[in-house]
Amino acid sequence: MTELTQARTEERIREEAKKALASGEVRAVVGWCATRFDDRTRPFFAETAEECDLLVWNPYCINGTAKFALDDRYPDQKLALILRGCDSRAVNRMLRDKQLKRENLYLIGVVCDGKENPICEECQHKTPLVYDVLIGEPAKEQIYPERFRKIEEFEKLSPDERYAYWAAQYDKCIHCYACRNACPACNCIECYADQYRVGWQGKAADREQNQIYGLTRAFHVGDRCIECGECERVCPMHLPIMRQTRKMLKDINELFGSYEGGLSEEETPALGGFRLDDPDEFM
Amino acid sequence: MIISKLNLNKALQILNESAQVFVPAFEVIEDRAAKKSIREKKFLPYREDLEVELEGPNTVKPPKDILFPNVEKLYQYKAAGEDSYIRETLPEETPKILFGIRPCDMRSIKSMDKVFFTKNYVDSYYARRREYVTIVAIGCTETDRTCFCDSMGIDPNTAPGADVMMNRIEGEEAYLLHAQTEKGEALLKNLESLEGPSENVKAIRTDCTLKIRKIPDLDRKLAEMFEHPIWDKVTKGCIGCGTCTFVCPTCYCFDIDNENYGTEGCKYRCWDSCMFSDYTRMAGGANPRPTKKERLRNRYMHKLSYFNERYGETLCVGCGRCIANCPSHLDISEFIEKSSAVDPKAEVYTESIRAAQGKEA
């Protein structure tokens, strides 16, 4: 079978979305719709058959869809998601973190062709890893050899240079929490940063508070990052946020062997498990 | 008065002698690991080595933080027996010049003036900064694809309320400046030595690229649409971040908090966002705006209806920053068109192909 064309894939997405709604089990299908700009789409909830015809599939379908499932954690009906490879890893992430229940989801996987988003060049999983129905022929998984190259380059800088770089970045940060809100690993019911009465996180958007936020978020995400790049894509101030989570993944890969997050619902995150035969050489 | 582009730097230098001048310019951060530099256009204190760009696209962030800083100390205190004190920390009395702000941003400042000066309350912090600022506005020479100020009743070529209005001259590398206030006259006096010949010059006029269909009484229509099903639909794609509010030139909400070190500390205010859950969260945990639907509705309503009710004008100035920067590509101009066209009494709202594409409302 040959690869599906973009138009045919879009048609199939609409068919599957309509089928899902017609089953009566699904309340809405989350995908993308057009905007007034040809090079932009937006996340869209199709709730009627007519609205399913508004779902699009083109190089600009760049927003993650999975995180919208968290908007209603205790739904009466299933939510259907149109999933690319990265979205499927996001679903695995949230299932593994016990924030979503598989039975509340209906997953329409689409073999992705890469989007107009720089992170897509680094994609290793274009075929969704979890789905109920798959559109397209599974693509061969690719290894992106440059995965940690930027981190290696960055590590060569002196601590002072690295600090100056991040300080300048966090001077730009406007403390909007877009990175957190887009991140599938940021799935806490209540974020520490929203617990203002406790006072973990100051609200002022100054360097100090921005750095505390950035650092805390990075460590909270830790080994759970699925490398979808949403944090960086959504940042209105263009902070290279992936560089923080990638650094941790690089360390994890060096310490614990090859590791990627969100590959399955059952995986044990590198830092979330223990082995009795762990050498514990640092103790 | 005519000033040639070649003399612009000289003009800024002269002005910078007696006041702190802020100009739209590029800030560059070198990223040696990725072997590239990140450039961002923003209002920066003038320096001779700045790469100033008056024309071209508008800045990502509006210049509002010069009048209404992101973080502003209100007073400091000490609680230590006889050494105790409470001291107000008003902004310094330093003259500033905001050079090269756009008509949309000037209109925003006028709206902020209404908030901070009228209804029987004067915000002394904002007032102090406002008093010491002289504003030189520039008419747009090109507009972004997200600019729709003229659909919101603003002319991208004029800026009422600015101290000096500046327009690019047609066919020439020069600007036409004229004072609109006494402050503006004083400013231009400083630049007399740079004045160029002014015969038969004509200022460039620009139009917005994005024209939207807004009904004139949308504010009153929306006031009746609080429970309309359109809100469920248009807010679904929102991720609930604060980007739109922080890049908005007219979002003026703030929160007040303190910072304590031992027996000393200060009270400060900082920008807040109605898109955040804690904005309306009560002490006991109840939240009248529990989801992004209620929050985004509030934001749109504030821009398009509530402000009209209180101050008699629309708060959205059509600068397009929220459209350009929204992670989810939500579009307030699309909402204006959809809500202008929709039946206010409808019980069901279904997105139609044309509406979703923003092509026809």
Side-chain angles (χ1 to χ4, degrees):
Chain A
M1 196 174 137
T2 52
E3 246 180 71
L4 291 183
T5 61
Q6 182 182 306
R8 179 67 190 133
T9 307
E10 188 172 274
E11 229 172 87
R12 290 279 298 117
I13 288 174
R14 292 175 182 179
E15 275 168 28
E16 289 299 335
K18 283 178 200 169
K19 235 194 273 173
L21 287 178
S23 75
E25 286 184 7
V26 169
R27 76 195 135 103
V29 183
V30 186
W32 304 269
C33 73
T35 69
R36 67 164 83 243
F37 303 112
D38 291 340
D39 58 357
R40 277 181 164 202
T41 68
R42 95 166 47 101
F44 179 65
F45 281 60
E47 289 164 300
T48 62
E50 189 199 349
E51 285 182 340
C52 288
D53 285 329
L54 300 182
L55 292 167
V56 297
W57 177 256
N58 61 41
Y60 307 105
C61 297
I62 57 173
N63 298 61
T65 52
K67 191 84 190 272
F68 290 101
L70 284 187
D71 288 348
D72 187 355
R73 286 168 190 260
Y74 307 101
D76 301 329
Q77 270 180 300
K78 287 184 184 195
L79 183 68
L81 302 172
I82 312 287
L83 294 183
R84 300 160 299 168
C86 48
D87 300 315
S88 74
R89 290 174 70 187
V91 165
N92 276 337
R93 169 83 285 126
M94 292 184 280
L95 292 174
R96 177 67 186 79
D97 293 347
K98 310 288 181 214
Q99 300 298 319
L100 287 180
K101 284 199 169 121
R102 183 66 178 85
E103 66 258 32
N104 289 333
L105 300 171
Y106 181 74
L107 306 175
I108 303 171
V110 185
V111 179
C112 186
D113 41 6
K115 302 297 176 196
E116 285 294 320
N117 185 358
I119 192 75
C120 296
E121 288 169 25
E122 307 179 11
C123 179
Q124 307 200 110
H125 304 277
K126 294 206 184 319
T127 306
L129 297 157
V130 54
Y131 51 81
D132 292 307
V133 56
L134 184 69
I135 298 172
E137 279 295 297
K140 204 167 165 281
E141 300 210 338
Q142 287 171 333
I143 299 296
Y144 176 66
E146 303 270 276
R147 190 174 169 208
F148 297 124
R149 190 187 55 80
K150 266 185 234 162
I151 308 297
E152 282 158 13
E153 292 295 319
F154 196 65
E155 284 169 345
K156 289 179 193 159
L157 305 181
S158 73
D160 284 348
E161 281 175 306
R162 295 202 298 261
Y163 183 82
Y165 175 77
W166 281 114
Q169 294 295 347
Y170 279 104
D171 283 344
K172 290 198 305 181
C173 170
I174 56 172
H175 217 123
C176 67
Y177 295 127
C179 48
R180 174 195 71 182
N181 292 10
C183 175
C186 279
N187 51 36
C188 293
I189 291 176
E190 188 180 20
C191 176
Y192 91 98
D194 285 341
Q195 298 173 328
Y196 282 111
R197 290 181 67 81
V198 187
W200 307 115
Q201 176 66 55
K203 205 171 199 173
D206 54 23
R207 183 191 288 186
E208 186 182 314
Q209 292 307 325
N210 293 347
Q211 281 181 326
I212 289 171
Y213 163 68
L215 211 58
T216 312
R217 196 193 83 85
F219 276 109
H220 281 187
V221 171
D223 59 347
R224 297 179 307 113
C225 173
I226 57 151
E227 298 169 80
C228 63
E230 278 291 270
C231 51
E232 244 180 70
R233 180 189 69 78
V234 300
C235 180
M237 297 295 129
H238 312 296
L239 267 65
I241 307 171
M242 279 280 278
R243 203 171 287 182
Q244 301 167 343
T245 41
R246 274 266 165 87
K247 163 66 179 158
M248 278 182 289
L249 289 175
K250 177 171 177 286
D251 289 352
I252 288 167
N253 273 264
E254 283 164 5
L255 291 166
F256 303 108
S258 175
Y259 173 77
E260 272 186 280
L263 297 189
S264 87
E265 185 186 343
E266 281 86 34
E267 76 183 5
T268 303
L271 305 179
F274 65 94
R275 289 206 313 258
L276 288 174
D277 60 344
D278 193 312
D280 282 352
E281 70 277 283
F282 56 90
M283 305 270 297
Chain B
M1 175 188 280
I2 304 238
I3 290 183
S4 136
K5 260 192 174 180
L6 294 171
N7 279 331
L8 190 65
N9 242 314
K10 212 171 273 172
L12 291 170
Q13 278 166 25
I14 294 173
L15 296 175
N16 206 36
E17 280 165 17
S18 53
Q20 190 180 20
V21 179
F22 288 85
V23 280
F26 288 98
E27 185 183 64
V28 183
I29 298 179
E30 291 300 330
D31 185 351
R32 290 177 51 195
K35 298 191 175 59
K36 62 173 188 187
S37 51
I38 305 160
R39 287 155 55 85
E40 191 200 322
K41 191 172 174 181
K42 59 195 320 193
F43 278 87
L44 292 170
Y46 175 74
R47 296 189 318 260
E48 273 179 50
D49 60 338
L50 269 190
E51 189 191 332
V52 179
E53 189 189 74
L54 290 178
E55 299 169 43
N58 204 351
T59 52
V60 178
K61 280 197 288 180
K64 76 173 169 186
D65 59 339
I66 294 164
L67 291 165
F68 174 52
N70 199 324
V71 187
E72 181 168 46
K73 206 193 269 188
L74 301 176
Y75 58 86
Q76 42 192 49
Y77 48 78
K78 186 173 183 173
E82 288 191 357
D83 295 334
S84 299
Y85 63 80
I86 297 178
R87 226 172 269 149
E88 195 177 32
T89 48
L90 277 173
E92 283 174 31
E93 298 175 327
T94 37
K96 287 179 181 155
I97 295 169
L98 253 171
F99 196 98
I101 78 166
R102 302 297 172 89
C104 55
D105 290 337
M106 185 59 230
R107 203 350 252 288
S108 310
I109 292 173
K110 287 178 70 189
S111 296
M112 301 250 285
D113 287 351
K114 289 194 168 160
V115 173
F116 289 120
F117 290 148
T118 65
K119 306 280 176 194
N120 297 322
Y121 178 74
V122 173
D123 182 292
S124 47
Y125 300 85
Y126 180 86
R128 173 68 66 84
R129 289 178 201 274
R130 188 74 175 87
E131 185 190 340
Y132 282 89
V133 158
T134 309
I135 297 172
V136 181
I138 182 166
C140 295
T141 51
E142 57 182 278
T143 53
D144 283 348
R145 64 178 185 170
T146 49
C147 288
F148 62 104
C149 74
D150 58 9
S151 301
M152 302 307 285
I154 294 163
D155 174 11
N157 304 293
T158 57
D163 298 300
V164 174
M165 186 63 214
M166 182 169 169
N167 289 90
R168 177 79 188 276
I169 294 169
E170 222 173 71
E172 272 184 66
E173 297 289 292
Y175 297 103
L176 179 64
L177 288 83
H178 67 270
Q180 304 190 130
T181 65
E182 276 176 28
K183 262 189 193 174
E185 278 167 24
L187 185 142
L188 288 189
K189 246 194 168 62
N190 280 330
L191 301 179
E192 270 171 1
S193 62
L194 301 175
E195 186 160 2
S198 58
E199 278 164 36
N200 301 326
V201 294
K202 211 177 138 210
I204 286 183
R205 284 193 66 82
T206 314
D207 237 5
C208 286
T209 24
L210 178 55
K211 302 277 182 201
I212 63 166
R213 284 164 297 268
K214 173 183 175 293
I215 53 165
D217 57 347
L218 181 62
D219 57 319
R220 270 166 301 170
K221 182 176 179 183
L222 282 175
E224 304 296 318
M225 282 173 57
F226 192 77
E227 302 289 356
H228 198 277
I230 191 171
W231 296 112
D232 279 311
K233 202 83 213 173
V234 299
T235 58
K236 280 259 162 64
C238 171
I239 63 166
C241 73
T243 301
C244 49
T245 51
F246 294 149
V247 299
C248 177
T250 63
C251 271
Y252 51 79
C253 286
F254 59 84
D255 197 1
I256 294 178
D257 205 348
N258 14 273
E259 208 164 28
N260 294 323
Y261 303 98
T263 57
E264 285 171 76
C266 71
K267 193 68 114 180
Y268 67 87
R269 70 173 170 192
C270 62
W271 293 354
D272 202 352
S273 169
C274 58
M275 299 307 296
F276 293 160
S277 63
D278 72 301
Y279 184 87
T280 42
R281 189 165 54 212
M282 321 264 170
N287 197 338
R289 293 189 204 139
T291 73
K292 58 196 178 188
K293 175 191 158 186
E294 293 83 10
R295 294 175 207 143
L296 191 55
R297 175 175 61 194
N298 176 73
R299 187 178 136 77
Y300 281 180
M301 283 292 226
H302 185 207
K303 297 291 160 194
L304 303 169
S305 182
Y306 300 158
F307 200 80
N308 297 62
E309 197 183 319
R310 189 165 166 80
Y311 296 103
E313 64 188 28
T314 301
L315 193 56
C316 175
V317 296
C319 72
R321 286 183 175 98
C322 57
I323 307 175
N325 292 294
C326 175
S328 281
H329 306 150
L330 299 194
D331 184 335
I332 193 171
S333 72
E334 223 179 83
F335 174 76
I336 293 171
E337 295 198 319
K338 285 177 188 170
S339 54
S340 289
V342 80
D343 168 12
K345 299 266 183 275
E347 281 175 13
V348 186
Y349 178 79
T350 308
E351 204 73 55
S352 74
I353 288 180
R354 293 147 99 197
Q357 288 176 340
K359 301 265 154 72
E360 291 279 327

